[in-house]
């Protein structure tokens, strides 16, 4: 198998693992405070990524210089995840995943502001098609809801989180000083953990963790190990073998994977009209993957 094919395979796994966060998160979002839950998630995730850095021999104390950078990135990252789980209290997983597909388009805007990266016309078209499909799903394929701009509360909350994620993406490149992806992620997770522990410390103490349903612990282990540590490895693997724009394109596959997760969990599939919007996000993915004019990095 060619390096490029291995990169695509890694991103297929990446998008499937990310999708699981939406379906599992929706099952337990109302059981625990989002900030307290994500504080534990960041602690466990940092431990996993730190162990990975040590095992791979890329551990470097010098990578932790200028810690304010990690505080900035950890703050954006923590806000994204807290608002994601807050939004999942009421937003259906497929709709939330559709909101997530708006991140590439917003990231392109922030990348121009922060890095002066130019958005090529064909790439802009693909991102616009993906955004149109995402909006159709977010409004639940209801044209009257589109006209009235009737957005669900959960989707609106998560959209704010996605703005934070969209800023975070170009900020990583802006603030990175040559550190490895694993060490840079470790610093970000540690900073995010500290911020959330301080913010939600009282709630963590008040929470009766022993009485929590099993699904809370299943989701915690999943998001810490698979949706954080494992996806870091997959993303790093793929970025060394694929153009960055094509790596980003796999964001558009997440709603399709969420549908698979929902069906496997016995929650059924969305309506055919909603599936039409999901199909547009897949079309955007295919356009980006087939566009040979995209820059290599």
């Amino acid at each position: 198998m060619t390096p490029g094919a291995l990169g695509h395979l890694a991103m297929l796994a990446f998008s499937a693992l990310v999708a699981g966060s939406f379906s599992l998160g929706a099952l337990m979002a109302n059981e625990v405070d989002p900030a307290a839950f994500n504080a534990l998630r960041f602690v466990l995730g940092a431990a996993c990524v730190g162990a990975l850095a040590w095992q791979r021999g890329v551990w470097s104390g010098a990578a932790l210089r200028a810690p304010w950078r990690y505080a900035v990135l950890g703050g954006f990252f923590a806000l994204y995840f807290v608002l994601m789980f807050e939004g999942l209290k009421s937003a259906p997983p497929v709709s939330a995943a559709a909101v997530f597909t708006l991140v590439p388009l917003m990231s392109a805007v922030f990348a121009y502001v922060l890095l002066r990266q130019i958005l090529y016309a064909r790439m802009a078209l693909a991102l616009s098609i993906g955004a149109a499909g995402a909006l159709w799903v977010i409004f639940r394929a209801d044209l009257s809801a589109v006209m009235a701009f009737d957005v669900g509360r959960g989707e609106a909350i998560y959209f704010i989180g996605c703005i934070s994620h969209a800023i975070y993406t170009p900020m990583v490149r802006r603030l990175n000083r040559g550190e490895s992806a694993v060490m840079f992620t470790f610093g970000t997770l540690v900073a995010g953990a500290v911020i959330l522990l301080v913010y939600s410390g009282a709630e963590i103490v008040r929470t009766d963790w022993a009485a929590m349903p099993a699904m809370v612990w299943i989701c915690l282990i999943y998001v810490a190990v698979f949706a954080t540590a494992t996806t870091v490895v997959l993303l790093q693997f793929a970025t060394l073998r694929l153009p960055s724009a094509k790596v980003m394109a796999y964001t558009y596959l997440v709603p399709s994977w969420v549908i698979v997760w929902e069906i496997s969990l016995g929650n059924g599939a969305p309506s055919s009209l909603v599936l039409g919007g999901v199909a547009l996000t897949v079309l955007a993915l295919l356009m980006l993957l087939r566009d040979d004019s995209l820059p290599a990095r």
Side-chain angles (χ1 to χ4, degrees), residues 217-235:
W217 296 106
I218 291 172
C219 186
L220 177 61
I221 293 172
Y222 180 88
V223 296
V225 177
F226 296 101
T228 301
T230 303
T231 55
V232 164
V233 177
L234 292 172
L235 191 60

Side-chain angles (χ1 to χ4, degrees), residues 133-212:
L135 291 172
W136 188 242
V137 175
I138 293 167
F139 286 104
R140 297 172 175 82
D142 185 347
L143 190 58
S144 62
V146 176
M147 294 295 100
F149 203 73
D150 183 14
V151 183
R153 180 176 182 275
E155 287 88 342
I157 290 173
Y158 182 44
F159 177 73
I160 297 172
C162 285
I163 293 176
S164 181
H165 194 300
I167 298 172
Y168 166 83
T169 302
M171 284 296 287
V172 168
R173 177 167 292 191
R174 179 71 178 268
L175 297 179
N176 186 276
R177 297 180 180 177
E179 296 88 355
S180 71
V182 174
M183 277 302 297
F184 207 62
T185 301
F186 173 71
T188 300
L189 290 175
V190 169
V194 171
I195 291 170
L196 288 175
L197 286 171
V198 171
Y199 174 78
S200 63
E203 186 62 35
I204 292 174
V205 173
R206 284 195 299 267
T207 301
D208 186 0
W209 295 100
M212 283 290 154

Side-chain angles (χ1 to χ4, degrees), residues 3-290:
L6 288 172
H8 287 294
L9 187 61
M11 287 311 298
L12 280 172
F14 172 90
S15 57
L17 291 174
V18 169
S21 299
F22 292 94
S23 293
L24 294 178
L27 293 176
M28 50 66 61
N30 290 292
E31 302 289 345
V32 63
D33 178 76
F37 175 84
N38 277 288
L40 298 185
R41 179 255 185 93
F42 270 62
V43 169
L44 290 176
C48 291
V49 175
L52 176 66
W54 185 271
Q55 186 271 329
R56 297 183 66 174
V58 296
W59 182 274
S60 170
L64 301 180
R65 67 187 184 278
W68 64 267
R69 297 177 298 152
Y70 299 109
V72 171
L73 294 174
F76 281 123
F77 214 33
L79 180 62
Y80 165 74
F81 282 112
V82 169
L83 294 182
M84 172 186 176
F85 281 87
E86 185 66 38
L88 284 170
K89 289 182 177 181
S90 57
V94 176
S95 294
V99 176
F100 181 62
T101 64
L102 296 174
V103 169
L105 184 59
M106 292 190 292
S107 288
V109 174
F110 287 119
Y112 175 76
V113 173
L114 295 171
L115 304 172
R116 288 295 183 265
Q117 288 184 349
I118 303 300
L119 185 63
Y120 293 87
R122 290 172 64 179
M123 185 177 179
L125 176 61
L127 293 177
S128 299
I129 290 174
L135 291 172
W136 188 242
V137 175
I138 293 167
F139 286 104
R140 297 172 175 82
D142 185 347
L143 190 58
S144 62
V146 176
M147 294 295 100
F149 203 73
D150 183 14
V151 183
R153 180 176 182 275
E155 287 88 342
I157 290 173
Y158 182 44
F159 177 73
I160 297 172
C162 285
I163 293 176
S164 181
H165 194 300
I167 298 172
Y168 166 83
T169 302
M171 284 296 287
V172 168
R173 177 167 292 191
R174 179 71 178 268
L175 297 179
N176 186 276
R177 297 180 180 177
E179 296 88 355
S180 71
V182 174
M183 277 302 297
F184 207 62
T185 301
F186 173 71
T188 300
L189 290 175
V190 169
V194 171
I195 291 170
L196 288 175
L197 286 171
V198 171
Y199 174 78
S200 63
E203 186 62 35
I204 292 174
V205 173
R206 284 195 299 267
T207 301
D208 186 0
W209 295 100
M212 283 290 154
M215 182 51 66
V216 172
W217 296 106
I218 291 172
C219 186
L220 177 61
I221 293 172
Y222 180 88
V223 296
V225 177
F226 296 101
T228 301
T230 303
T231 55
V232 164
V233 177
L234 292 172
L235 191 60
Q236 183 185 35
F237 181 88
T239 53
L240 294 175
R241 292 160 177 81
L242 296 173
S244 56
K246 294 191 176 184
V247 170
M248 180 190 67
Y250 277 91
T251 299
Y252 291 112
L253 199 58
V254 173
S256 299
W257 279 119
V258 170
I259 292 173
V260 174
W261 273 89
E262 289 295 288
I263 293 173
S264 66
L265 291 171
N267 297 328
S271 69
S272 57
L273 286 176
V274 170
L275 288 174
V278 174
L280 284 179
T281 64
V282 175
L283 175 60
L285 164 71
L286 295 176
M287 289 177 65
L288 289 170
L289 291 182
R290 290 176 60 85

